[in-house]
Coordinates of all heavy atoms in Angstrom, one line a residue:
L339 N -74.3 -32.7 54.0 CA -74.4 -33.2 52.7 C -73.3 -34.3 52.4 O -72.1 -33.9 52.4 CB -74.2 -32.1 51.7 CG -74.2 -32.4 50.2 CD1 -75.5 -33.0 49.8 CD2 -73.9 -31.2 49.4
L341 N -71.6 -35.6 50.2 CA -71.0 -35.5 48.8 C -69.6 -35.0 48.9 O -69.3 -34.2 49.9 CB -71.9 -34.5 48.0 CG -73.3 -35.0 47.6 CD1 -74.0 -33.9 46.8 CD2 -73.3 -36.2 46.7
S345 N -68.1 -37.5 44.1 CA -69.5 -37.6 43.8 C -69.8 -37.3 42.4 O -69.2 -36.5 41.7 CB -70.3 -36.7 44.7 OG -70.1 -37.0 46.1
G346 N -70.9 -37.9 41.9 CA -71.3 -37.8 40.5 C -72.4 -36.7 40.3 O -73.0 -36.2 41.3
R347 N -72.6 -36.4 39.1 CA -73.6 -35.4 38.7 C -75.0 -35.7 39.2 O -75.8 -34.9 39.6 CB -73.6 -35.1 37.2 CG -74.4 -33.9 36.7 CD -74.4 -33.8 35.2 NE -73.0 -33.7 34.8 CZ -72.4 -32.6 34.5 NH1 -73.0 -31.5 34.6 NH2 -71.1 -32.6 34.0
A348 N -75.4 -37.0 39.1 CA -76.7 -37.5 39.4 C -77.0 -37.3 40.9 O -78.1 -36.8 41.3 CB -76.9 -38.9 39.0
A349 N -76.0 -37.6 41.8 CA -76.2 -37.5 43.2 C -76.3 -36.0 43.5 O -77.1 -35.6 44.4 CB -75.1 -38.1 44.0
F350 N -75.5 -35.2 42.9 CA -75.5 -33.7 43.1 C -76.8 -33.1 42.7 O -77.4 -32.4 43.5 CB -74.3 -33.1 42.3 CG -74.3 -31.6 42.3 CD1 -73.8 -30.9 43.4 CD2 -74.7 -30.9 41.2 CE1 -73.8 -29.5 43.4 CE2 -74.6 -29.5 41.2 CZ -74.2 -28.8 42.3
A351 N -77.3 -33.5 41.5 CA -78.6 -33.0 41.1 C -79.7 -33.4 42.0 O -80.7 -32.7 42.3 CB -78.9 -33.5 39.6
N352 N -79.7 -34.7 42.5 CA -80.7 -35.2 43.3 C -80.8 -34.4 44.6 O -81.9 -34.1 45.1 CB -80.5 -36.7 43.6 CG -81.6 -37.3 44.5 OD1 -82.7 -37.4 44.1 ND2 -81.2 -37.6 45.7
R353 N -79.6 -34.1 45.2 CA -79.6 -33.4 46.5 C -80.1 -31.9 46.3 O -80.8 -31.4 47.1 CB -78.2 -33.3 47.1 CG -78.1 -32.7 48.5 CD -79.1 -33.4 49.4 NE -79.1 -32.8 50.7 CZ -80.2 -32.9 51.5 NH1 -81.3 -33.5 51.1 NH2 -80.1 -32.3 52.7
L354 N -79.8 -31.3 45.2 CA -80.3 -30.0 44.9 C -81.8 -30.0 44.8 O -82.5 -29.1 45.3 CB -79.7 -29.4 43.6 CG -78.3 -28.9 43.6 CD1 -77.9 -28.4 42.2 CD2 -78.1 -27.9 44.7
T355 N -82.4 -31.0 44.1 CA -83.8 -31.1 44.0 C -84.4 -31.3 45.4 O -85.5 -30.7 45.7 CB -84.2 -32.3 43.1 OG1 -83.6 -32.1 41.8 CG2 -85.7 -32.5 43.0
L361 N -82.5 -27.8 38.8 CA -81.8 -26.9 37.9 C -82.0 -27.5 36.5 O -82.0 -28.7 36.2 CB -80.3 -26.7 38.2 CG -80.0 -26.2 39.6 CD1 -78.5 -26.0 39.7 CD2 -80.6 -24.8 39.8
L366 N -77.3 -26.6 35.8 CA -76.7 -27.7 36.5 C -75.2 -27.9 36.2 O -74.4 -28.2 37.1 CB -77.5 -29.0 36.2 CG -77.0 -30.2 36.9 CD1 -77.1 -30.1 38.4 CD2 -77.8 -31.5 36.4
A369 N -73.2 -25.2 38.0 CA -73.2 -25.4 39.4 C -72.4 -26.6 39.8 O -71.6 -26.6 40.8 CB -74.6 -25.6 39.9
F370 N -72.4 -27.7 39.0 CA -71.6 -28.9 39.3 C -70.1 -28.6 39.1 O -69.3 -29.1 39.9 CB -72.0 -30.0 38.3 CG -71.4 -31.3 38.6 CD1 -71.6 -32.0 39.7 CD2 -70.4 -31.8 37.7 CE1 -71.0 -33.2 40.0 CE2 -69.8 -33.1 37.9 CZ -70.1 -33.7 39.1
F373 N -69.2 -26.9 42.2 CA -69.2 -27.9 43.3 C -67.9 -28.7 43.3 O -67.3 -28.9 44.4 CB -70.4 -28.8 43.2 CG -70.3 -30.0 44.0 CD1 -70.5 -29.9 45.4 CD2 -70.1 -31.2 43.4 CE1 -70.4 -31.1 46.2 CE2 -70.0 -32.4 44.2 CZ -70.1 -32.3 45.6
L388 N -73.8 -25.8 49.9 CA -74.4 -26.0 48.6 C -75.4 -25.0 48.3 O -75.4 -24.5 47.1 CB -75.0 -27.4 48.6 CG -75.5 -27.9 47.3 CD1 -74.4 -28.0 46.3 CD2 -76.2 -29.3 47.4
L391 N -73.5 -21.8 47.3 CA -72.9 -22.0 46.0 C -73.9 -21.8 44.9 O -73.7 -21.1 43.9 CB -72.3 -23.4 45.9 CG -71.5 -23.8 44.6 CD1 -70.4 -24.8 45.0 CD2 -72.5 -24.5 43.7
V392 N -75.1 -22.5 45.0 CA -76.1 -22.5 44.0 C -76.7 -21.1 43.9 O -77.0 -20.5 42.8 CB -77.2 -23.5 44.2 CG1 -78.3 -23.4 43.2 CG2 -76.6 -24.9 44.1

Side-chain angles (χ1 to χ4, degrees):
L339 176 65
L341 290 177
S345 299
R347 189 184 301 264
F350 175 74
N352 180 69
R353 186 57 184 151
L354 284 181
T355 301
L361 300 183
L366 179 62
F370 185 66
F373 164 74
L388 189 59
L391 181 151
V392 175

